[in-house]
Amino acid sequence: MKNSIGTSVILTVFGESHGPAVGVVLDGLAPGLPVDEAYIAEQLARRRPAGPADTARVEPDRFQLVSGVYEGRTTGTPLTILIPNENVRSADYAAVQTVARPSHADYTAQAKYHGFQDPRGGGHFSGRVTAGIVAAGAICRQALAARGIRLGTHILRCAGVEDAPFTDVVSELDRIEAKRFPLILDLEEQVEAAVLAAKSEQDSVGGVIQTGISGLPAGLGEPWFDSLEGVLARAAFAVGGVKGIEFGDGFGLAALRGSQANDPFRMQDGRVVTSTNRNGGINGGITNGMPVVFNLAVKPTPSISRPQQTVDFVQGRDVELALTGRHDPAIIRRICPVVTALTAVVLCDQLALRFGTDYLATV
Amino acid sequence: MKNSIGTSVILTVFGESHGPAVGVVLDGLAPGLPVDEAYIAEQLARRRPAGPADTARVEPDRFQLVSGVYEGRTTGTPLTILIPNENVRSADYAAVQTVARPSHADYTAQAKYHGFQDPRGGGHFSGRVTAGIVAAGAICRQALAARGIRLGTHILRCAGVEDAPFTDVVSELDRIEAKRFPLILDLEEQVEAAVLAAKSEQDSVGGVIQTGISGLPAGLGEPWFDSLEGVLARAAFAVGGVKGIEFGDGFGLAALRGSQANDPFRMQDGRVVTSTNRNGGINGGITNGMPVVFNLAVKPTPSISRPQQTVDFVQGRDVELALTGRHDPAIIRRICPVVTALTAVVLCDQLALRFGTDYLATV
Amino acid sequence: MKNSIGTSVILTVFGESHGPAVGVVLDGLAPGLPVDEAYIAEQLARRRPAGPADTARVEPDRFQLVSGVYEGRTTGTPLTILIPNENVRSADYAAVQTVARPSHADYTAQAKYHGFQDPRGGGHFSGRVTAGIVAAGAICRQALAARGIRLGTHILRCAGVEDAPFTDVVSELDRIEAKRFPLILDLEEQVEAAVLAAKSEQDSVGGVIQTGISGLPAGLGEPWFDSLEGVLARAAFAVGGVKGIEFGDGFGLAALRGSQANDPFRMQDGRVVTSTNRNGGINGGITNGMPVVFNLAVKPTPSISRPQQTVDFVQGRDVELALTGRHDPAIIRRICPVVTALTAVVLCDQLALRFGTDYLATV
Amino acid sequence: MKNSIGTSVILTVFGESHGPAVGVVLDGLAPGLPVDEAYIAEQLARRRPAGPADTARVEPDRFQLVSGVYEGRTTGTPLTILIPNENVRSADYAAVQTVARPSHADYTAQAKYHGFQDPRGGGHFSGRVTAGIVAAGAICRQALAARGIRLGTHILRCAGVEDAPFTDVVSELDRIEAKRFPLILDLEEQVEAAVLAAKSEQDSVGGVIQTGISGLPAGLGEPWFDSLEGVLARAAFAVGGVKGIEFGDGFGLAALRGSQANDPFRMQDGRVVTSTNRNGGINGGITNGMPVVFNLAVKPTPSISRPQQTVDFVQGRDVELALTGRHDPAIIRRICPVVTALTAVVLCDQLALRFGTDYLATV
């Protein structure tokens, strides 16, 4: 499916950083869902650069609902969102078209597309494409919320600053949404300072982000290849910079014994729950009704202005690269709404597969 | 696709732990590939319980090539492998049919299948199903090897014992294959002792395993949803017990700065290479020609014989579970050939998509 | 997907005519559906050669339920059915391995599989593979019947003999099922005589078959590429010998004016119905609640014993072929249960997609 | 996949008749293919209403290349084409929003989308959406032509006028392309007169169209579910008004004996060819190297201005409908470039799957 994900609800992304527009087609969504343009704009704003810790390229993200919406609601047919690129300075990139930024997609794009790729601003590999995902995800999030399913993503760790992990997802989601930097604890200044410190040294930082989902019914996902973990992981690795994913305590579980890692079941108000949630709400690939929690490793932005050793892949020779252009010293803040949005799309797909295409519509 | 994975080369798994057989259909493989039954048997043997650190249920794994093979070679049509279950003692499981083993799939299977699932020995969720994957992967591995692509998996970490990470994949693969416990360093006794220590305390252990792939061409994978990372992750989470995946230095990258995490490119013998490989051979979701390396977090086996707090999900009440039956105190050794096999299948699919269905055939 | 069809309920076929077995994996079916072995056997019997108008190769079709069935019901996990080949006389085919039977798949298989295909008895292209489809379809048909959805296929036209088209599907399905040759009118002797006439002249005949489905809800199918017509057509062309499909009056509609071809809507007992059904129950790719009716053109069996002009595709020279072996002078009778079964599988998939995976289970 | 088709090259359609725009995303096309805007415009012109025999709604079809094109060539990333709707008169449709046009999708859309569908001008079901398909197909057609693969569609039969079938596809394609009405014989006036005759009686006509493809290699397609016939049929039924498809002599074959229907093979200039082509270039679902030929039954346009009996599906009562608005009395001329374009997309997908993603690029 390449640039598409999903089985019953299918998201397709398109666009290049410096082309006319980026966008998405979201196909298979239930009819009748509200399309709240203000909420979409709000979510796009959370992804937008906002201060010295982000890139200087600020796009207004004026989105257009091209299809699939009628009188403010989804029609059930493909919903297309177009977000024109307005603040484009391609000249910045002219010099680097054949010089590979280390650990960026420049060289691999060349190996795949033989020089026909649009090299300006990372082309189709640009984080710019995630604007469309956020817009689509906003619609999905509201549909999920109407079914009692809520989700969000916060910075768990960044440049030595450590946030608290989710313990009570719903209340913590409210805290996260209220802040400019999505954090459970009051660490915004510390994170911003750490990013600016790296920036001042012409460098960048990464971090770990954590997504929490509450309200999912038990029984979602499949054994084997469509495990919810596998499906969410495939989605997560679509986001540039993600190099690892773990569910629940993930790599931490690997160091435990079974008696420590197992989450005991118990009855609570007639429902089956677990006393701990080290497995992140998923057993055997299928939800158990507890919050689904996963962490993503986000590597530091590869585009840094420090001189770096690399190659000119057309001339086939070693060169030193001193990068100019507008880059994020960290994407850790901006990636959070992207992962939330993409996760929301995946959940809508899973629910539609399990309960039918009208499931989210019939609230 | 549920129990299937792949686009051009498609693997489907079926079977229950105590049913007549487990097996796979492998569809879309190039015609004319050798089907080396001795090599398949050898790979199955690497997955088979072999000693006190494994379950007492030892299956002969007598596989049958039901379709898709003619005169010792693949025909190009669906290749079906059947592995009958011969050593079945379902009585062990009679007692636990409605009592959920903590962190196992018992309860989630109930939520999904409403009591119609085959509960004996974990049913379709059983690791037994991976025997078919190993058999299919054996054919794929030989096809890849004929193209110069080699891969394998070793135990990187288990119960305090730490193996060396891959540095020179090809030579280390030879070391791994020669041993009963797949390890680069000579730590077999230590790992086995650690597993037996847990077993003696009616407990289990997990660990981290590492897969290395050498010889892949640059340019494999897609931006966004079919990134090679996403595709391999979806496959990996199919394997029971996997709770995390990271590529290259993964979560370690999240703590670095860009200047530390980036892999500098340089020319070597007319080829583009990187001086380090912290990104695990993948940039922007696409191979860069360096070895692909990823780690999987494997949680401790949830089936332990210590008494555990849980519920009877039919009666809806809290119970204590004292598990009997034959279980692995660790799957860390046996999971390695499974992950290698599944990765081999995924790579055959990726190569067929990129270079055509005859790519592996025309050597 | 190659040898698989479906999105939520997925059928995969495998096997060769003279290999160990043919079979299917049916994945995604709701849990708890009865698996009625007697009914499966009965449906297989309807497909089996039965008299001088069919091939002399009669297989007992002893099927094995390898996975996905527990205590007589579907588990919801992949259901695998294996049907061993028992009556195999491959020697008949030895001579023709490089001589292409005109209009058969021998030459195209060579072009695709480069000589590695199993040539015995048509290999994977053999109608033998449809036995597995019939077995899978039997389970699906009973699940549909429990929801009030019934379907069947009859011979509409064969060698000059003309049956009546469906007018009242449900009652006519009963008539069809009761007969050895599925016909609405009492024309069994005429059809059999026509087939035997061709056989006596070392020739074969084709015909047109008609499938009727009653009880489908309105609203099934998608606009554009997953129109119910498109999905059913893709399935139908999988069956060897099918060269055309038309819905409702199909090609006949092409000669009419709109005022003649349109089916007027009217209310009946509070339901929307149409006065005529020239469009075969589908408008805009989506069911309108009337019976779905389609016709398939079945070409005469290409394997005839008359001498034919052809080529040896390995030697690259013209040859005359005088075919021996056991062949059907017509498949028109035996193809009917195959098309019914495959249609039943497709309908289960469509219903699961629309109404959720448990839709058929919750009756 | 709903509004998408393809495996390696994937086409997604979106848009409503009276919404902001219609369009497509074409994903997976090889990089480096020329994007000839003049040729796209020319193909769009062939689909555009052009005279009294077509609808009075004439759109300028000013298309925008939103993504996937750089410096006049495909980049290999998703190629998005947007075609704004400029000539919209939705008021025409206000009256009919709850009155079902007989044999149109109005009622089935209601059954599927529960009243949330965009009803203006047929919404997403409108033939307007095919403009995007034609634009995408134009790029594919030029890529195929560079590989020696040519294709086209002509009116075979319409309202009593009968064109000649393809006999020498390549030369006949040139004749067809040169005319306003795609016909092999000089029958343009007769066809137009027949359409106008129906129009003058407030009625509509259908017909049969024929597509021919020359230059395909042998060995394309799969046995069973991805037979080239099945894949092309699924695509064809996406086009509104198509009610039947037949390959080669199709339904005509059903009346023949095997000795008449079989196409004898023979050697010609070292290549395997057939003396006749009654099977339309496909045996066992796979191309045999002869031209692929298929016919489509196109029903008369359901939107006619004669009074018709129907229902108001919201009020649940019988009503008489006297349709106003701008409609085609026949789509037989305009549908030809649509089917050609869609077929071109499908062929690019098939070739990419078989020979790799760069196959069309490397000429």
Side-chain angles (χ1 to χ4, degrees):
Chain A
M1 298 252 288
K2 302 188 173 173
N3 288 275
S4 303
I5 191 165
T7 300
S8 183
V9 174
I10 303 145
L11 179 74
T12 300
V13 299
F14 58 82
E16 277 80 32
S17 182
H18 292 209
V22 296
V24 291
V25 182
L26 183 60
D27 189 13
L29 215 52
L33 299 176
V35 177
D36 179 342
E37 300 196 27
Y39 185 72
I40 297 173
E42 188 185 304
Q43 291 301 307
L44 283 168
R46 291 191 72 77
R47 182 201 153 277
R48 200 172 303 140
D54 298 320
T55 175
R57 176 184 174 188
V58 182
E59 284 279 0
D61 292 337
R62 275 186 279 260
F63 61 92
Q64 300 164 7
L65 299 170
V66 169
S67 69
V69 181
Y70 181 61
E71 298 184 340
R73 290 181 176 269
T74 59
T75 56
T77 57
L79 195 162
T80 305
I81 306 174
L82 209 71
I83 309 181
N85 293 320
E86 304 188 26
N87 183 351
V88 170
R89 275 177 28 198
S90 301
D92 290 346
Y93 297 88
V96 297
Q97 297 198 0
T98 64
V99 174
R101 283 169 292 171
S103 295
H104 209 292
D106 299 335
Y107 170 63
T108 56
Q110 174 73 12
K112 183 171 178 63
Y113 301 117
H114 315 303
F116 295 108
Q117 69 273 20
D118 181 344
R120 300 168 300 164
H124 183 55
F125 292 81
S126 168
R128 175 78 188 131
V129 174
T130 61
I133 295 174
V134 168
I139 299 167
C140 292
R141 280 183 81 182
Q142 289 199 315
L144 293 168
R147 275 282 183 191
I149 299 165
R150 296 201 47 207
L151 70 161
T153 304
H154 71 107
I155 301 168
L156 184 63
R157 202 173 301 143
C158 177
V161 186
E162 188 100 12
D163 195 16
F166 279 120
T167 49
D168 176 44
V169 174
V170 171
S171 69
E172 287 152 355
L173 290 177
D174 290 334
R175 290 181 63 81
I176 290 169
E177 286 281 320
K179 295 178 181 174
R180 190 163 62 93
F181 277 72
L183 287 155
I184 293 175
L185 302 179
D186 290 327
L187 296 165
E188 296 183 69
E189 285 176 29
Q190 288 88 325
V191 171
E192 187 160 25
V195 174
L196 291 175
K199 186 187 178 185
S200 71
E201 299 175 41
Q202 298 181 295
D203 216 335
S204 63
V205 295
V208 175
I209 60 175
Q210 185 177 53
T211 300
I213 311 163
S214 104
L216 285 180
L220 217 57
E222 297 281 336
W224 304 100
F225 304 115
D226 278 343
S227 78
L228 193 63
E229 286 153 323
V231 170
L232 288 170
R234 183 184 162 219
F237 281 110
V239 182
V242 172
K243 296 297 285 187
I245 185 170
E246 57 183 359
F247 289 83
D249 289 353
F251 280 88
L253 290 174
L256 301 181
R257 286 202 170 172
S259 58
Q260 301 165 312
N262 286 350
D263 296 309
F265 285 109
R266 61 187 171 84
M267 300 303 301
Q268 186 180 64
D269 305 331
R271 271 184 70 228
V272 174
V273 299
T274 63
S275 303
T276 53
N277 190 18
R278 295 192 192 94
N279 285 270
I282 301 178
N283 298 146
I286 299 172
T287 54
N288 64 12
M290 298 301 291
V292 168
V293 179
F294 59 88
N295 301 335
L296 299 180
V298 181
K299 71 174 185 178
T301 332
S303 294
I304 56 176
S305 37
R306 284 194 180 201
Q308 295 183 86
Q309 199 53 49
T310 188
V311 298
D312 181 309
F313 49 71
V314 169
Q315 296 181 8
R317 61 180 182 82
D318 292 348
V319 295
E320 195 183 74
L321 171 67
L323 203 60
T324 58
R326 301 170 295 178
H327 304 287
D328 289 277
I331 56 165
I332 198 78
R333 184 185 71 81
R334 299 178 62 202
I335 203 175
C336 289
V338 174
V339 169
T340 299
L342 191 47
T343 302
V345 173
V346 168
L347 294 178
C348 285
D349 180 42
Q350 291 288 312
L351 290 162
L353 266 174
R354 182 75 174 87
F355 299 114
T357 51
D358 286 347
Y359 176 73
L360 289 168
T362 49
V363 179
Chain B
M1 296 252 289
K2 301 188 173 173
N3 288 275
S4 303
I5 192 166
T7 300
S8 183
V9 175
I10 303 144
L11 179 74
T12 301
V13 299
F14 59 81
E16 278 79 31
S17 181
H18 291 210
V22 296
V24 291
V25 182
L26 183 60
D27 190 13
L29 215 52
L33 299 176
V35 177
D36 179 343
E37 300 195 27
Y39 184 72
I40 297 172
E42 188 184 303
Q43 291 302 306
L44 283 169
R46 291 191 73 77
R47 182 201 153 277
R48 200 172 304 140
D54 298 320
T55 176
R57 176 183 174 188
V58 183
E59 283 280 359
D61 292 338
R62 276 187 278 260
F63 61 91
Q64 299 165 9
L65 300 168
V66 168
S67 70
V69 181
Y70 181 60
E71 298 185 340
R73 289 181 176 269
T74 59
T75 56
T77 56
L79 194 162
T80 304
I81 306 174
L82 209 71
I83 309 182
N85 294 321
E86 305 188 26
N87 183 351
V88 170
R89 275 175 29 196
S90 303
D92 290 348
Y93 295 88
V96 297
Q97 296 196 2
T98 65
V99 175
R101 283 170 291 172
S103 295
H104 209 292
D106 299 334
Y107 170 64
T108 55
Q110 175 72 13
K112 184 172 177 65
Y113 301 117
H114 315 303
F116 295 107
Q117 69 274 18
D118 181 344
R120 301 167 300 164
H124 183 55
F125 291 81
S126 168
R128 175 76 189 134
V129 174
T130 62
I133 294 175
V134 168
I139 299 168
C140 292
R141 280 183 80 181
Q142 289 199 316
L144 293 168
R147 275 282 183 188
I149 299 165
R150 295 200 49 207
L151 70 160
T153 304
H154 71 107
I155 300 168
L156 183 63
R157 204 171 302 142
C158 177
V161 187
E162 189 100 11
D163 196 15
F166 279 120
T167 50
D168 176 45
V169 174
V170 172
S171 69
E172 287 152 354
L173 290 177
D174 290 334
R175 290 181 62 81
I176 290 168
E177 286 281 319
K179 296 178 180 174
R180 190 162 63 92
F181 276 72
L183 287 154
I184 293 174
L185 303 180
D186 290 327
L187 296 164
E188 297 183 68
E189 286 175 29
Q190 289 88 324
V191 171
E192 188 160 26
V195 173
L196 292 176
K199 185 186 179 186
S200 72
E201 298 176 41
Q202 298 181 295
D203 216 333
S204 63
V205 295
V208 175
I209 61 176
Q210 186 178 52
T211 300
I213 310 163
S214 102
L216 284 180
L220 217 58
E222 298 281 336
W224 304 100
F225 305 114
D226 278 344
S227 77
L228 193 62
E229 287 153 323
V231 170
L232 288 170
R234 184 184 161 218
F237 281 110
V239 182
V242 172
K243 295 298 284 187
I245 185 169
E246 56 182 1
F247 288 83
D249 289 354
F251 280 87
L253 290 174
L256 301 181
R257 287 203 168 170
S259 58
Q260 300 165 312
N262 286 350
D263 297 307
F265 285 110
R266 60 186 173 83
M267 300 303 301
Q268 186 179 64
D269 305 331
R271 271 184 71 229
V272 174
V273 298
T274 62
S275 302
T276 52
N277 190 18
R278 295 190 192 95
N279 284 271
I282 301 179
N283 298 147
I286 298 173
T287 54
N288 64 13
M290 298 301 291
V292 168
V293 180
F294 59 88
N295 301 335
L296 299 180
V298 181
K299 72 173 184 178
T301 333
S303 295
I304 56 176
S305 37
R306 288 194 176 201
Q308 295 184 88
Q309 198 54 49
T310 188
V311 297
D312 182 310
F313 49 71
V314 169
Q315 297 181 8
R317 61 180 181 82
D318 292 347
V319 295
E320 194 183 77
L321 172 68
L323 203 62
T324 58
R326 302 171 296 179
H327 304 287
D328 290 278
I331 57 164
I332 197 79
R333 184 186 71 78
R334 299 178 63 202
I335 203 176
C336 289
V338 174
V339 170
T340 299
L342 190 48
T343 302
V345 173
V346 168
L347 294 177
C348 285
D349 180 42
Q350 292 288 311
L351 290 162
L353 266 174
R354 181 76 174 88
F355 299 115
T357 51
D358 286 349
Y359 175 73
L360 289 168
T362 48
V363 179
Chain C
M1 297 254 286
K2 299 187 175 173
N3 288 275
S4 302
I5 191 166
T7 300
S8 183
V9 174
I10 303 144
L11 179 74
T12 300
V13 298
F14 59 81
E16 278 80 32
S17 181
H18 291 209
V22 296
V24 291
V25 182
L26 183 61
D27 189 12
L29 214 52
L33 300 175
V35 177
D36 179 342
E37 300 195 28
Y39 185 71
I40 297 172
E42 188 185 303
Q43 292 301 307
L44 283 168
R46 291 193 71 77
R47 182 201 154 277
R48 200 172 303 139
D54 299 319
T55 175
R57 176 184 174 189
V58 182
E59 283 280 359
D61 293 336
R62 276 185 279 257
F63 61 92
Q64 301 164 7
L65 300 169
V66 168
S67 70
V69 182
Y70 181 61
E71 298 186 340
R73 290 181 177 270
T74 57
T75 56
T77 56
L79 195 162
T80 305
I81 306 173
L82 209 70
I83 309 181
N85 293 321
E86 305 187 26
N87 182 352
V88 170
R89 274 175 31 196
S90 302
D92 290 348
Y93 296 87
V96 297
Q97 296 197 359
T98 64
V99 174
R101 282 169 292 172
S103 296
H104 210 291
D106 300 335
Y107 169 65
T108 55
Q110 174 72 15
K112 184 172 178 63
Y113 301 116
H114 315 303
F116 295 107
Q117 68 275 17
D118 181 344
R120 300 167 301 164
H124 183 56
F125 293 80
S126 168
R128 175 77 189 133
V129 174
T130 62
I133 294 174
V134 169
I139 299 167
C140 292
R141 280 183 80 182
Q142 289 198 315
L144 293 168
R147 274 283 183 190
I149 299 165
R150 296 200 48 207
L151 71 160
T153 305
H154 71 107
I155 301 168
L156 184 63
R157 202 172 301 142
C158 176
V161 186
E162 190 99 12
D163 196 15
F166 280 119
T167 49
D168 176 45
V169 174
V170 172
S171 69
E172 286 152 356
L173 290 177
D174 291 334
R175 290 182 62 82
I176 290 168
E177 285 282 318
K179 295 178 181 173
R180 189 163 63 93
F181 276 72
L183 288 154
I184 293 175
L185 303 179
D186 291 326
L187 295 165
E188 296 182 69
E189 286 175 29
Q190 289 88 324
V191 172
E192 187 159 26
V195 174
L196 292 175
K199 185 187 180 185
S200 73
E201 298 175 41
Q202 300 182 294
D203 216 332
S204 64
V205 296
V208 175
I209 62 176
Q210 185 178 53
T211 300
I213 310 164
S214 103
L216 285 180
L220 218 58
E222 298 280 338
W224 305 100
F225 304 115
D226 278 344
S227 77
L228 193 63
E229 287 152 323
V231 170
L232 287 170
R234 183 182 162 221
F237 281 111
V239 182
V242 172
K243 296 297 284 187
I245 185 169
E246 57 182 359
F247 288 84
D249 289 354
F251 280 88
L253 290 174
L256 299 181
R257 286 202 169 170
S259 58
Q260 301 165 312
N262 286 351
D263 296 308
F265 285 110
R266 63 188 170 83
M267 299 304 300
Q268 186 180 63
D269 305 329
R271 271 184 69 228
V272 174
V273 300
T274 63
S275 302
T276 53
N277 190 17
R278 296 192 191 94
N279 285 270
I282 301 178
N283 298 146
I286 299 173
T287 54
N288 64 14
M290 298 301 291
V292 168
V293 179
F294 60 87
N295 301 334
L296 299 180
V298 181
K299 71 174 186 178
T301 334
S303 295
I304 56 176
S305 38
R306 286 195 178 200
Q308 296 183 87
Q309 199 53 48
T310 188
V311 298
D312 181 309
F313 50 71
V314 170
Q315 297 181 8
R317 61 180 182 82
D318 291 349
V319 295
E320 195 183 78
L321 171 68
L323 203 62
T324 59
R326 301 171 296 180
H327 305 286
D328 289 277
I331 56 165
I332 198 78
R333 184 185 70 79
R334 300 179 62 203
I335 202 175
C336 290
V338 173
V339 169
T340 300
L342 190 48
T343 302
V345 173
V346 168
L347 294 177
C348 285
D349 180 43
Q350 291 289 311
L351 290 162
L353 266 174
R354 182 75 176 84
F355 300 114
T357 52
D358 286 349
Y359 176 72
L360 289 168
T362 49
V363 178
Chain D
M1 298 252 287
K2 301 187 174 174
N3 288 276
S4 302
I5 192 166
T7 301
S8 183
V9 175
I10 302 145
L11 179 73
T12 300
V13 299
F14 59 82
E16 278 79 32
S17 182
H18 290 209
V22 296
V24 291
V25 182
L26 184 60
D27 189 13
L29 215 53
L33 298 176
V35 176
D36 179 342
E37 300 196 28
Y39 185 72
I40 297 172
E42 187 185 304
Q43 292 301 307
L44 283 168
R46 291 192 72 76
R47 183 201 153 278
R48 199 171 304 139
D54 298 319
T55 176
R57 175 182 174 189
V58 182
E59 284 280 359
D61 292 337
R62 276 185 278 260
F63 61 92
Q64 301 164 6
L65 300 169
V66 169
S67 70
V69 181
Y70 181 62
E71 298 185 339
R73 289 180 178 270
T74 59
T75 56
T77 56
L79 195 163
T80 304
I81 305 174
L82 208 71
I83 309 182
N85 294 321
E86 306 188 25
N87 183 352
V88 171
R89 274 175 33 196
S90 302
D92 290 347
Y93 296 87
V96 297
Q97 295 196 3
T98 65
V99 174
R101 284 170 290 172
S103 295
H104 210 292
D106 300 334
Y107 170 64
T108 56
Q110 174 73 13
K112 184 172 178 64
Y113 302 116
H114 314 304
F116 295 107
Q117 68 275 16
D118 181 345
R120 300 168 300 164
H124 183 55
F125 291 81
S126 168
R128 175 78 188 133
V129 174
T130 62
I133 295 175
V134 168
I139 299 167
C140 292
R141 280 184 80 182
Q142 288 198 316
L144 292 167
R147 275 283 184 189
I149 298 166
R150 296 201 47 208
L151 70 160
T153 304
H154 71 107
I155 301 167
L156 184 63
R157 203 172 301 141
C158 176
V161 186
E162 189 100 12
D163 195 16
F166 280 120
T167 51
D168 177 45
V169 174
V170 172
S171 69
E172 287 152 354
L173 290 177
D174 292 333
R175 292 181 62 81
I176 290 168
E177 287 281 320
K179 295 177 180 174
R180 190 162 63 92
F181 276 72
L183 287 154
I184 294 175
L185 302 179
D186 291 326
L187 295 164
E188 296 182 69
E189 286 175 28
Q190 288 88 325
V191 172
E192 188 159 25
V195 174
L196 292 175
K199 185 186 180 186
S200 72
E201 299 176 41
Q202 299 181 293
D203 216 333
S204 64
V205 295
V208 175
I209 61 175
Q210 185 178 53
T211 300
I213 311 163
S214 102
L216 285 180
L220 217 58
E222 297 281 337
W224 304 100
F225 305 114
D226 278 343
S227 78
L228 193 62
E229 286 153 323
V231 170
L232 288 170
R234 183 182 163 222
F237 281 111
V239 183
V242 172
K243 295 297 285 187
I245 185 170
E246 58 182 358
F247 288 84
D249 290 354
F251 280 87
L253 289 174
L256 300 181
R257 286 200 169 173
S259 58
Q260 300 165 313
N262 286 350
D263 297 307
F265 286 110
R266 62 186 171 83
M267 300 303 301
Q268 187 180 62
D269 306 330
R271 271 184 71 229
V272 174
V273 299
T274 63
S275 303
T276 53
N277 189 18
R278 295 191 193 94
N279 285 271
I282 301 178
N283 298 146
I286 298 173
T287 55
N288 63 14
M290 298 301 291
V292 168
V293 179
F294 59 88
N295 301 335
L296 299 180
V298 181
K299 72 174 184 179
T301 331
S303 295
I304 57 175
S305 36
R306 286 194 179 201
Q308 294 184 88
Q309 198 54 49
T310 188
V311 298
D312 181 309
F313 49 71
V314 169
Q315 299 182 6
R317 60 180 183 83
D318 292 348
V319 295
E320 195 183 78
L321 171 67
L323 203 61
T324 58
R326 302 171 295 181
H327 304 286
D328 290 277
I331 56 165
I332 198 78
R333 183 186 71 80
R334 299 178 63 203
I335 203 175
C336 289
V338 174
V339 170
T340 299
L342 190 48
T343 303
V345 173
V346 168
L347 294 177
C348 285
D349 180 42
Q350 291 288 311
L351 290 162
L353 266 174
R354 181 76 176 85
F355 299 115
T357 51
D358 286 348
Y359 176 73
L360 289 168
T362 49
V363 179

